[in-house]
Amino acid sequence: MEFFELNDGNKMPAVGFGTYKLTDPVETPKAVDAAINAGYRLIDTARVYSNESLVGQGIKQNGIPRDQLFLTSKVWISDNGYENTKKAIDESLKALQLDYLDLYLIHQPYGDNYGSWRAMEEAQTAGKIKSLGVSNFPDYQITDLAQFNKVKPAINQIEINPWNQEQASVDYLKGYGIQPEAWAPFAQGYDHIFTNPTLKQIADAHNKGVGQVMLRWLFQRGIVSIAKSAKPERIKENVDIFDFTLSDAEMKQIAALDRKEGVSADHTDPKTVLRLSQYTTNLNGLD
Ligand SMILES: NC(=O)c1ccc[n+]([C@@H]2O[C@H](COP(=O)([O-])OP(=O)(O)OC[C@H]3O[C@@H](n4cnc5c(N)ncnc54)[C@H](OP(=O)(O)O)[C@@H]3O)[C@@H](O)[C@H]2O)c1
């Protein structure tokens, strides 16, 4: 596994395992166990995915030493603010059966994020969280949070994939000292991305799969990715990206696929704020 160094000195695995929509009580611990066995060291969950206890089971079942794993969870909108976030952190730790989280993110850029951030800073001082970050924050908003608090976010987890490449934000975040992390690195399979002729041709040239090419492209751009699959053979295949290199010409071919259109709604659109604010307990049905 390769690692990226964060602005707080902590090291984060370059490729992680995503767990959104993994909620089956049998399948989920198995998938987490399979991911760790396949070499993933970063696991991404969130309170709103309603699977933290199943993810925790998978980790326990696997038996990997805690210090070899990098675990991320996130606070949802309904737990925004100082008191609620303090509670949410403890509840996530309990569900995951862990003493600390490696990374904790504000999941959405809405509500009392300053209150949440203070709770997160305190939890970091108390040793409950190693690194603090945010998700889906527009560049101006992460800058605002960073400028007016003690701890600067280490991460912004945003949607990045060949359909939605976010080059301007990636450049901005890196220049400002914040590590970009790609959610939906496969665009959730949207619009036949796994059979796209350009990606397929590049994959064939390296004797690799299209998923591997997408994750390698992100890695070469200096972006952490979290790929989800429920299927053991795909879990294994997806993470195997460190034995080939995409050429500059291939990187440019993939860059040309950018549509600047993600699978998620525009986070600066008031309609998105209204829609996401309705989801309090889990995201089932959000799509
Ligand atoms: N911060 C946020 O707001 C946010 C939002 C969304 C997601 N996330 C995080 O990011 C992670 C990844 O995003 P995502 O799960 O939405 O989407 P994704 O990883 O882009 O795509 C997952 C989809 O791709 C399929 N897939 C995986 N590997 C494949 C392969 N090699 N060949 C063909 N199909 C393949 C999966 O199907 P199978 O499972 O059947 O293999 C699944 O349908 C999430 O799990 C979650 O942890 C964060």
Side-chain angles (χ1 to χ4, degrees):
M1 180 54 65
E2 299 276 343
F3 293 80
F4 289 118
E5 187 166 336
L6 305 180
N7 62 19
D8 55 15
N10 292 330
K11 290 195 170 56
M12 180 168 188
V15 177
F17 184 62
T19 65
Y20 177 34
K21 291 192 175 160
L22 282 177
T23 49
D24 183 88
V26 176
E27 182 187 67
T28 306
K30 268 196 193 158
V32 170
D33 181 42
I36 298 168
N37 289 340
Y40 295 81
R41 289 297 175 264
L42 157 62
I43 297 173
D44 183 88
T45 181
R47 198 157 145 72
V48 77
Y49 298 169
S50 300
N51 65 6
E52 287 175 312
S53 62
L54 299 171
V55 169
Q57 270 178 43
I59 294 170
K60 206 159 190 191
Q61 188 176 313
N62 183 275
I64 187 167
R66 175 67 185 92
D67 62 358
Q68 289 181 30
L69 209 56
F70 189 105
L71 209 292
T72 305
S73 194
K74 318 183 188 84
V75 58
W76 187 244
I77 304 168
S78 50
D79 288 323
N80 79 84
Y82 177 76
E83 290 298 340
N84 289 340
T85 298
K86 241 171 100 161
K87 230 169 76 193
I89 293 166
D90 287 340
E91 284 172 6
S92 283
L93 285 170
K94 194 170 164 211
L96 284 157
Q97 303 182 61
L98 296 177
D99 298 330
Y100 69 90
L101 294 163
D102 294 279
L103 177 66
Y104 195 66
L105 307 177
I106 296 181
H107 204 145
Q108 300 289 351
Y110 313 131
D112 179 12
N113 288 324
Y114 274 75
S116 294
W117 199 254
R118 276 199 305 282
M120 290 162 66
E121 286 179 337
E122 278 183 23
Q124 187 182 42
T125 304
K128 294 181 184 180
I129 307 172
K130 300 276 186 206
S131 295
L132 309 186
V134 299
S135 179
N136 300 308
F137 271 50
D139 297 338
Y140 86 89
Q141 207 174 344
I142 198 170
T143 310
D144 178 87
L145 193 74
Q147 291 302 121
F148 296 99
N149 282 290
K150 269 203 309 261
V151 178
K152 182 177 185 173
I155 287 282
N156 194 8
Q157 185 184 110
I158 54 177
E159 181 190 342
I160 313 175
N161 49 56
W163 298 159
N164 189 54
Q165 304 193 6
E166 296 286 6
Q167 194 55 51
S169 279
V170 168
D171 289 345
Y172 176 72
L173 290 168
K174 284 193 192 173
Y176 189 54
I178 293 173
Q179 174 66 46
E181 180 180 19
W183 67 255
F186 304 145
Q188 298 177 345
Y190 179 71
D191 204 11
H192 311 291
I193 201 161
F194 283 102
T195 51
N196 174 266
T198 303
L199 296 173
K200 183 77 177 74
Q201 188 204 7
I202 295 171
D204 288 348
H206 292 276
N207 206 14
K208 287 282 178 182
V210 167
Q212 292 170 317
V213 166
M214 290 192 263
L215 298 188
R216 181 72 203 185
W217 167 75
L218 287 163
F219 173 65
Q220 287 185 214
R221 291 176 67 202
I223 300 167
V224 173
S225 61
I226 33 174
K228 178 262 174 184
S229 176
K231 302 194 167 60
E233 65 283 6
R234 288 179 179 172
I235 291 174
K236 211 166 155 191
E237 179 190 311
N238 290 343
V239 75
D240 180 20
I241 64 154
F242 299 112
D243 61 351
F244 74 112
T245 303
L246 299 172
S247 66
D248 289 347
E250 289 167 333
M251 293 295 286
K252 281 192 186 123
Q253 275 181 281
I254 303 174
L257 299 176
D258 196 7
R259 303 170 175 178
K260 300 189 190 307
E261 221 178 79
V263 294
S264 81
D266 175 1
H267 282 86
T268 62
D269 183 341
K271 287 204 265 321
T272 308
V273 190
L274 292 171
R275 192 170 66 92
L276 290 181
S277 304
Q278 293 168 25
Y279 290 88
T280 52
T281 51
N282 67 67
L283 287 174
N284 293 336
L286 188 62
D287 297 337

